[in-house]
Amino acid sequence: LAVASEVKIQIYSIYGTKIRELSFAGGVPGSNTTTWDGTDDSGTKVSKGIYMAVLTADGSKTTIKIGVIH
């Protein structure tokens, strides 16, 4: 992050269904890390496969592909 800002990560299935939303207030400038535990918003473990993670922070949006293996 270039400046301190709220960070939001949304996890989607390859079909576009939102699986999980993670939010962090006060992300600090520089590198930040977090871990997704592989569960959906109700706490149920997701199936193995490919998911998309959309990171929104400081007015910009980045999408990455992630894989879940059990």
Side-chain angles (χ1 to χ4, degrees), residues 25-68:
V28 296
S31 294
N32 293 264
T33 61
T34 191
T35 302
W36 172 44
D37 61 2
T39 60
D40 62 16
D41 280 334
S42 66
T44 304
K45 250 189 172 174
V46 300
S47 300
K48 62 182 175 181
I50 303 298
Y51 294 84
M52 304 304 284
V54 179
L55 169 69
T56 306
D58 192 30
S60 64
K61 190 181 283 191
T62 302
T63 303
I64 61 169
K65 185 175 10 175
I66 56 177
V68 173

Side-chain angles (χ1 to χ4, degrees), residues 1-34:
L1 297 174
V3 296
S5 63
E6 180 180 348
V7 177
K8 181 167 60 170
I9 301 172
Q10 295 174 308
I11 310 292
Y12 292 90
S13 73
I14 59 170
Y15 303 109
T17 305
K18 187 167 84 168
I19 303 296
R20 182 83 187 261
E21 183 169 320
L22 308 168
S23 294
F24 309 95
V28 296
S31 294
N32 293 264
T33 61
T34 191

